[in-house]
């Protein structure tokens, strides 16, 4: 067992953190070696397995990232942009694979993550599920096949505690549609309509965000053309799909050279 990759989970008490801890503990392909939370969190010093309802596992929740990362072969991180940048630097120092599911990253964050990836493997994706990454590939292909007579809209729905919009997955889908069209998303993105906006601009890629209840994640890509509509859809009903994908990325990264990768690389979905 000791030769299996050791995994640290950041944001241990969050929704994804708890699911990740359960997924790693139940895996026979990895070892759970650390759970990280912010200083002062009530879980600090408590058994991580017991905290997530699986019974004691002997690993206590800690606020010492450096100490945890030093004994890890991979860090799985679904936290917040500023925290993720700090973790990227520490993971690079430890030469640990850094799997990033954090969304809402600005260009300044991405630049720092890219710098860390010169020294270690970074796998970053707005969504870790197999189904969503297949949807991304399909979106790119459909967008390439249809001209601008087909309006593209990305509609996403998440729970009422999600703090960023559009979701990272929605942006992945928008990027794929833009790539299929051969345009830059930032030049055609339409993220807000309110009041008298005028007619829809030809070629724009629109985004709509729904927030409510405990929706795990729903994404639709609508291609609306003259006389017909094509809708590509993915619905996640359980966060475990993201956790399993993230663990798969952490294991895949063990055999890779330093650099930046995404789930298309992990799943071998590239052209």
């Amino acid at each position: 067992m000791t030769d299996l990759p050791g995994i640290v989970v950041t944001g241990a008490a969050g929704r994804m953190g708890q699911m990740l801890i359960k997924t790693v503990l139940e895996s026979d392909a990895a070892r759970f070696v650390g759970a990280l939370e912010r200083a002062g969190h009530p879980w600090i010093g408590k058994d991580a397995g017991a905290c997530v309802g699986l019974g004691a596992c002997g690993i206590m929740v800690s606020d010492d990232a450096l100490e945890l990362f030093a004994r890890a072969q991979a860090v799985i991180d679904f936290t917040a942009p500023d925290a993720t940048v700090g973790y990227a630097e520490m993971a690079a120092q430890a030469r640990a694979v850094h799997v990033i599911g954090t969304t809402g990253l600005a260009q300044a964050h991405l630049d720092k993550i890219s710098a860390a990836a010169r020294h270690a493997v970074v796998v970053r994706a707005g969504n870790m599920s197999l189904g969503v990454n297949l949807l991304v590939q399909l979106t790119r292909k459909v967008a390439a096949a249809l001209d601008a007579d087909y309006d593209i809209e990305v509609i996403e729905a998440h729970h009422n505690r999600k703090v960023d919009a559009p979701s990272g997955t929605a942006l992945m889908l928008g990027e794929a549609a833009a790539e299929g069209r051969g345009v830059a998303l930032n030049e055609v993105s339409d993220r807000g309509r309110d009041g008298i906006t005028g007619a829809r601009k030809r070629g724009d890629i629109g985004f709509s965000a729904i927030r409510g209840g405990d929706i795990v994640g729903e994404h639709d890509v609508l291609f609306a053309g003259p006389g017909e509509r094509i809708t590509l859809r993915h619905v996640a009903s359980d966060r475990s799909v993201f956790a399993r994908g993230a663990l798969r990325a952490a294991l895949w990264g063990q055999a890779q050279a330093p650099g930046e990768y995404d789930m298309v690389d992990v799943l071998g979905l590239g052209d």
Side-chain angles (χ1 to χ4, degrees):
M1 289 289 291
T2 56
D3 59 345
L4 297 178
I7 311 291
V8 166
V9 174
T10 68
R15 293 185 182 194
M16 273 306 303
Q18 293 185 50
M19 182 59 70
L20 286 161
I21 290 171
K22 292 177 182 177
T23 299
V24 177
L25 281 172
E26 292 170 348
S27 171
D28 58 5
R31 293 178 296 122
F32 178 57
V33 299
L36 184 67
E37 257 302 342
R38 66 184 184 278
H41 193 279
W43 281 21
I44 300 298
K46 296 182 179 180
D47 189 284
C51 284
V52 301
L54 289 184
C57 67
I59 301 295
M60 304 301 162
V61 180
S62 171
D63 59 5
D64 189 343
L66 279 174
E67 190 273 330
L68 292 184
F69 288 19
R71 50 182 149 108
Q73 282 70 58
V75 175
I76 305 180
D77 174 22
F78 286 68
T79 54
D82 289 342
T84 288
V85 167
Y87 297 150
E89 295 171 354
M90 287 184 274
Q93 292 171 13
R95 300 301 188 265
V97 174
H98 189 191
V99 178
I100 300 174
T102 302
T103 58
L105 296 162
Q107 190 58 50
H109 299 121
L110 297 174
D111 291 342
K112 292 178 180 179
I113 291 169
S114 294
R118 292 199 292 266
H119 307 285
V121 172
V122 173
V123 182
R124 183 179 65 83
N127 195 296
M128 300 283 175
S129 85
L130 171 60
V132 161
N133 283 278
L134 287 170
L135 179 61
V136 168
Q137 298 296 90
L138 289 170
T139 297
R140 185 180 294 108
K141 291 181 182 298
V142 174
L146 301 175
D147 62 23
D149 285 341
Y150 286 79
D151 298 323
I152 302 176
E153 293 284 325
V154 181
I155 306 103
E156 54 104 340
H158 284 86
H159 55 87
N160 57 20
R161 293 174 61 189
K162 186 167 178 60
V163 299
D164 60 306
S167 70
T169 303
L171 293 174
M172 283 173 60
L173 294 166
E175 288 283 2
E179 289 171 10
R181 285 256 170 103
V183 297
L185 180 61
N186 63 355
E187 296 177 359
V188 298
S189 178
D190 183 356
R191 300 193 187 182
R193 302 184 183 113
D194 185 24
I196 307 301
T197 62
R200 190 187 198 283
K201 184 179 176 182
R202 190 174 191 270
D204 273 0
I205 296 174
F207 290 86
S208 300
I210 297 166
R211 297 289 178 267
D214 59 358
I215 301 170
V216 173
E218 300 178 4
H219 294 87
D220 292 81
V221 184
L222 170 66
F223 298 84
E228 64 178 353
R229 294 188 299 274
I230 302 164
T231 301
L232 305 178
R233 184 159 219 252
H234 180 271
V235 175
S237 56
D238 190 323
R239 283 181 181 79
S240 64
V241 299
F242 311 130
R244 289 196 299 270
L247 177 57
R248 182 168 176 173
L251 299 175
W252 176 88
Q254 301 302 310
Q256 310 308 314
E260 290 186 85
Y261 303 90
D262 59 23
M263 286 303 288
V264 171
D265 299 312
V266 174
L267 299 170
L269 298 175
D271 293 333

